[in-house]
Amino acid sequence: MPVIYPGQTIGIIGNDQRAYMLALKAKEMGYRVAAIVTPQMQNTSFARLIDSQIDGEFNDYQTLVQLGEVSQVLTYTNELLDETVLEQLAQHYYLPQGSNVLSVTQDRYLEKVFLSDLNINIPPYATVVDVDDIQDAIDSIGYPCILKPIQKGYGKQYQRFIQQPSDLENIEAALELGTYILESWIPDAQELSVMVVKTEDGECVTLPVIENEFEDHRLKMSLVPARINQDVATEINRLAHLIGEKLDYTGVFGVEFFLTPAMNIYVKRIMPTPHATGDVLTHTLNFSQYEYHLKAICQLAVGPSRLNNAGMTLGIQEAQRSLIQTQMKIKPDWYFNLHNVTTNQQIGSVTATGQAIQPLIDNYEAADLY
């Protein structure tokens, strides 16, 4: 495929913060942006940024065709799109990410099989379809464990944490979605991630390892460089390269890891798009994950990453609005990213940078943000 130069149009399939940030960077680089605008996206920051708006829904093929007709390259930020629709789209329009990766990442079982075939360490698991399977699986992998639908995309209300036999009471009611995965819970694990850039010719570039903290299934904090030793960082980069080599994909993707106190590394999951955990790199790296992604899908030169300073990013919730507004008046060296991506949804982040991590943590704690 030819190189996509600034002045041409990038079609973005998605309506989340990643789509918005990707569109911002594309505009900054001189590209035009086209996107599908659903009714929920009207009058949002994202909608106002778009040069060519296509009305419709993401999984409607004819709507996607309209987007393809006005774009020189297509990209998606929603990892739960219909793979078969995207496969059909890729036959007629340039979609560098492809659709094959979604068959791996949308299904927890297929994702684990993919990783196991690469001899990559993953948490022990079993497939479950009825109550008897749960008990058999627990006999094998033990407590604690977590029950998850095999298909990703369902909310946390469809997951069940099982810590002891009494938690199995009325467990049959939790199996309404069919097949599940029962997975060992990894206690006291440090959560890490790495974003990987894969080019059209198969070159993989890993970005610095990120340390993450989640709260109630939601990303609370990301910091870089991760507080790990060099041996762990080297192994994580090796695993990320191995996964990247085997994925049929072009662009930025992410891999999440568990690191136990005994220094055992488990792969948690693969993320087939830029991801919120990578936003901490925006003000700490030579190029953000979004610029790397655009370079890869447009076939521009992609070079090595360079970490310029330490950084820590906190997610902003609606309840923190007044606190954040106060900090905006007194913190001239913090980076604030506050916007409405979709209606009735306030998403944002704040990033602080410096020479070391601990002073950044101390400053957030002093501001009652962390």
Side-chain angles (χ1 to χ4, degrees):
M1 294 299 295
V3 175
I4 310 300
Y5 289 107
Q8 296 181 283
T9 300
I10 297 172
I12 299 176
I13 307 168
N15 68 341
D16 53 11
Q17 183 182 4
R18 290 169 285 182
Y20 178 73
M21 297 297 290
L22 195 63
L24 276 177
K25 179 54 67 174
K27 298 279 284 187
E28 181 183 314
M29 293 171 67
Y31 289 97
R32 290 175 55 82
V33 173
I36 296 169
V37 178
T38 64
Q40 296 81 13
M41 291 172 61
Q42 298 294 338
N43 302 315
T44 63
S45 302
F46 186 27
R48 290 190 291 271
L49 190 66
I50 297 167
D51 297 295
S52 300
Q53 295 189 14
I54 308 297
D55 295 329
E57 298 294 337
F58 299 121
N59 282 322
D60 178 70
Y61 180 69
Q62 292 306 319
T63 301
L64 290 167
V65 165
Q66 292 180 56
L67 182 65
E69 287 294 322
V70 299
S71 307
Q72 280 70 57
V73 59
L74 296 172
T75 185
Y76 53 84
T77 62
N78 184 342
E79 57 187 294
L80 299 176
L81 292 170
D82 188 326
E83 178 207 351
T84 57
V85 173
L86 288 184
E87 182 181 11
Q88 185 180 3
L89 185 72
Q91 294 175 8
H92 304 284
Y93 301 97
Y94 184 40
L95 181 69
Q97 288 161 289
S99 62
N100 292 340
V101 66
L102 297 181
S103 65
V104 174
T105 60
Q106 290 179 354
D107 185 300
R108 288 187 167 95
Y109 174 72
L110 293 180
E111 183 178 57
K112 292 178 184 299
V113 169
F114 171 82
L115 294 169
S116 295
D117 286 347
L118 297 178
N119 293 317
I120 289 175
N121 206 23
I122 59 175
Y125 75 98
T127 55
V128 166
V129 294
D130 58 33
V131 175
D132 291 337
D133 291 337
I134 294 178
Q135 188 58 65
D136 290 342
I138 291 175
D139 290 342
S140 173
I141 66 178
Y143 296 103
C145 50
I146 186 167
L147 186 68
K148 304 175 182 179
I150 198 167
Q151 288 292 328
K152 296 181 183 178
Y154 292 103
K156 62 183 180 180
Q157 67 271 24
Y158 292 100
Q159 298 187 14
R160 180 76 68 89
F161 183 63
I162 303 172
Q163 194 167 11
Q164 54 196 3
S166 61
D167 294 330
L168 296 176
E169 294 179 6
N170 302 318
I171 194 70
E172 190 169 5
L175 299 175
E176 60 183 286
L177 297 176
T179 306
Y180 283 69
I181 290 289
L182 190 71
E183 181 180 280
S184 286
W185 180 261
I186 308 298
D188 304 318
Q190 188 178 11
E191 298 215 31
L192 306 167
S193 62
V194 63
M195 308 309 297
V196 184
V197 191
K198 185 173 183 182
T199 64
E200 187 86 10
D201 61 6
E203 176 190 4
C204 288
V205 176
T206 55
L207 308 187
V209 181
I210 302 162
E211 181 178 341
N212 303 300
E213 183 179 325
F214 293 86
E215 185 175 75
D216 196 24
H217 296 257
R218 184 165 52 193
L219 180 65
K220 179 181 179 182
M221 174 278 292
S222 296
L223 60 83
V224 67
R227 293 170 291 186
I228 55 176
N229 64 44
Q230 186 55 52
D231 288 343
V232 170
T234 298
E235 178 62 8
I236 282 177
N237 277 285
R238 184 189 73 82
L239 294 171
H241 269 276
L242 178 59
I243 291 169
E245 289 168 3
K246 298 301 181 180
L247 280 181
D248 182 9
Y249 183 86
T250 297
V252 166
F253 70 92
V255 186
E256 289 186 341
F257 300 85
F258 292 122
L259 176 65
T260 72
M263 296 294 106
N264 293 316
I265 300 172
Y266 296 92
V267 170
K268 177 183 176 183
R269 70 175 182 126
I270 302 169
M271 305 167 292
T273 69
H275 190 259
T277 59
D279 284 346
V280 69
L281 302 174
T282 300
H283 300 291
T284 57
L285 209 62
N286 50 338
F287 298 108
S288 73
Q289 63 172 337
Y290 302 104
E291 186 157 357
Y292 269 118
H293 183 74
L294 291 166
K295 285 184 172 188
I297 66 170
C298 293
Q299 299 197 55
L300 304 181
V302 172
S305 64
R306 182 185 67 252
L307 191 65
N308 296 320
N309 44 45
M312 182 173 176
T313 296
L314 294 182
I316 298 172
Q317 308 305 321
E318 178 62 33
Q320 297 173 299
R321 181 189 289 270
S322 61
L323 270 176
I324 288 297
Q325 289 175 340
T326 297
Q327 296 304 314
M328 293 176 80
K329 294 185 289 185
I330 62 177
K331 291 293 194 304
D333 54 347
W334 284 11
Y335 299 92
F336 297 92
N337 179 11
L338 193 66
H339 53 263
N340 291 320
V341 177
T342 57
T343 55
N344 302 319
Q345 183 184 24
Q346 183 65 51
I347 294 179
S349 63
V350 55
T351 300
T353 62
Q355 296 302 307
I357 290 296
Q358 193 56 50
L360 305 181
I361 295 175
D362 294 342
N363 286 336
Y364 280 131
E365 288 178 342
D368 290 329
L369 290 172
Y370 180 69

